[in-house]
Amino acid sequence: MLIQRKSDNIILPSEITPREFVDARRQFLKQLAMGAAGGTGLLEMAGRQAFAQSDSPRKLAATTNSSYVVMDNRTPYKDATTYNNFYEFGTDKSEPAKTAGSLKTRPWTVSIEGEVSKPVKLDLDSLMKMAPLEERIYRLRCVEGWSMVIPWIGFSLSNLIKKVEPTSNAKYVEFTSLADRSQMPGVRDDVLNWPYVEGLRMDEAMHPLALLTFGMYGEVLPNQNGAPVRMVLPWKYGFKSAKSIVRIRFTSSQPKTAWNLAAPHEYGFYSNVNPDVDHPRWSQASERRIGEDGYFTKKRKTLMFNGYSEVAGLYSGMDLRKYY
Ligand SMILES: Nc1nc2c(c(=O)[nH]1)N[C@H]1C(S)=C(S)[C@@H](COP(=O)(O)O)O[C@H]1N2
Ligand SMILES: [Mo]
């Protein structure tokens, strides 16, 4: 039986209208009655696992980790795979689904380098075998003001970090995405300083929520969602979750991230979801849940750290207005 995440309890009744509260509660009870939070019943899971081994090559077997399942309805697959930010394939959200087919995701090598005792170049299969694959249902919120709820498949990045043994100089982790003009039409435009680079502080990267991700909705990642391997950092704005990663580098100084270089006043290094600190162009106080928008659909209140309050300790004593 899947259980409600502990951190979901941080939605205080005082923060939401009685109507929303009643609806959320009703929905949760309905999901319980169906057998699971998030709409995936145990029988369905068992069935999925059973044919995951044998069926289509896209299937990816994983065991649901019930500690990381949000109670919200999952975003329809169609929406999650046709409304994407992946600038290497164009800046329009409908473009990646149309143009990312040209990305060759095998063979694929990820180079682990920098301040580690055991630098290594890993092919995708070796990387995927570093730890058991888990399914986790996470919220992901874009700084543009929309959010989704997606069943991702991967494992905590900490599994990999421990194996490569960072040196005492390793204070940050930098992620670099592929930037290949021949496969990625968007890289011909200089909207960003290619390659796409993102970064985390070491303790953020070690947090169990930081997911090295290979699949979603029971299958390997569609190219437009960052195949064959990406990060998912549910307490940070979507752009921190680099797609199609080819290099993970451990550094002593703070990585220069692509979005921070492009617009330092808009995108800071930390970029934690924070309803109290607005982006210069978009309010961060509320969000539109993709797949449920309609004329009468109310926006949802955005939660501190996107509802993942367990990360708060990483930032204690930091002024989050300054370190945005
Ligand atoms: N390499 C790369 N990674 C990227 C992006 C990108 O343009 N290039 N966009 C980011 C942004 S802004 C968001 S919101 C998420 C979107 O992930 P999704 O398409 O799976 O929802 O990917 C992030 N990772
Ligand atoms: Mo985003």
Side-chain angles (χ1 to χ4, degrees):
M1 165 62 89
L2 303 181
I3 49 160
Q4 183 188 9
R5 283 173 47 85
K6 230 182 135 194
S7 69
D8 284 312
N9 295 330
I10 65 158
I11 310 174
L12 301 172
S14 60
E15 288 174 339
I16 51 180
T17 64
R19 184 56 205 258
E20 280 176 296
F21 186 66
V22 168
D23 284 351
R25 199 181 143 70
R26 194 177 290 148
Q27 191 197 320
F28 182 47
L29 291 174
K30 202 169 96 194
Q31 285 171 336
L32 274 183
M34 278 163 57
T40 309
L42 283 182
L43 272 177
E44 188 196 324
M45 279 308 302
R48 185 196 289 176
Q49 294 238 6
F51 73 84
Q53 325 294 347
S54 58
D55 209 53
S56 134
R58 291 198 58 79
K59 295 280 173 209
L60 190 60
T63 308
T64 302
N65 185 334
S66 56
S67 311
Y68 298 105
V69 171
V70 292
M71 62 182 269
D72 311 27
N73 283 332
R74 289 189 284 176
T75 300
Y77 179 84
K78 179 101 177 103
D79 294 307
T81 55
T82 55
Y83 190 86
N84 303 102
N85 272 339
F86 198 169
Y87 277 22
E88 289 85 335
F89 292 102
T91 53
D92 193 284
K93 276 179 241 319
S94 63
E95 273 181 290
K98 294 175 199 146
T99 63
S102 54
L103 179 67
K104 197 165 168 262
T105 56
R106 273 177 190 269
W108 190 273
T109 310
V110 179
S111 173
I112 321 284
E113 52 189 75
E115 293 290 348
V116 282
S117 315
K118 298 183 169 170
V120 63
K121 283 187 168 56
L122 290 167
D123 64 44
L124 195 62
D125 291 318
S126 319
L127 187 64
M128 281 175 73
K129 282 183 192 131
M130 277 193 145
L133 294 178
E134 294 175 9
E135 179 178 65
R136 300 182 181 188
I137 306 183
Y138 279 171
R139 306 185 183 96
L140 192 64
R141 188 197 189 282
C142 180
V143 70
E144 293 166 345
W146 48 267
S147 61
M148 299 198 199
V149 175
I150 295 180
W152 301 104
I153 296 172
F155 52 74
S156 294
L157 179 70
S158 62
N159 290 291
L160 179 150
I161 297 180
K162 284 177 201 150
K163 290 202 169 118
V164 297
E165 297 177 9
T167 70
S168 57
N169 293 328
K171 301 281 188 286
Y172 297 89
V173 189
E174 178 192 81
F175 305 90
T176 304
S177 299
L178 181 72
D180 180 350
R181 282 162 181 262
S182 69
Q183 302 186 65
M184 302 170 130
V187 175
R188 291 169 210 151
D189 300 326
D190 49 332
V191 277
L192 281 175
N193 219 328
W194 309 110
Y196 194 99
V197 171
E198 260 308 331
L200 297 171
R201 213 172 53 195
M202 199 63 174
D203 57 344
E204 298 180 309
M206 285 296 291
H207 194 280
L209 276 172
L211 195 70
L212 189 67
T213 305
F214 304 94
M216 57 192 253
Y217 298 86
E219 299 187 344
V220 297
L221 286 169
N223 290 356
Q224 61 269 34
N225 292 87
V229 57
R230 67 174 293 173
M231 285 302 297
V232 179
L233 302 154
W235 74 97
K236 291 178 177 280
Y237 292 118
F239 65 89
K240 296 295 292 179
S241 297
K243 295 177 168 179
S244 305
I245 293 169
V246 292
R247 183 165 70 229
I248 299 177
R249 194 163 68 97
F250 293 76
T251 64
S252 56
S253 53
Q254 189 174 294
K256 293 189 183 0
T257 64
W259 280 108
N260 184 239
L261 285 173
H265 298 294
E266 300 196 13
Y267 311 104
F269 177 77
Y270 286 94
S271 296
N272 293 313
V273 174
N274 188 340
D276 303 328
V277 179
D278 281 338
H279 177 278
R281 286 185 281 147
W282 306 292
S283 161
Q284 300 304 319
S286 64
E287 66 202 52
R288 193 163 59 88
R289 182 63 52 82
I290 298 297
E292 66 175 26
D293 19 40
Y295 192 77
F296 297 105
T297 313
K298 270 182 66 186
K299 283 195 166 195
R300 290 166 179 263
K301 264 182 189 299
T302 289
L303 304 173
M304 188 64 202
F305 300 121
N306 208 16
Y308 296 89
S309 54
E310 62 262 54
V311 301
L314 296 171
Y315 311 102
S316 55
M318 281 175 72
D319 178 354
L320 295 178
R321 287 190 171 274
K322 188 167 168 217
Y323 298 100
Y324 58 94

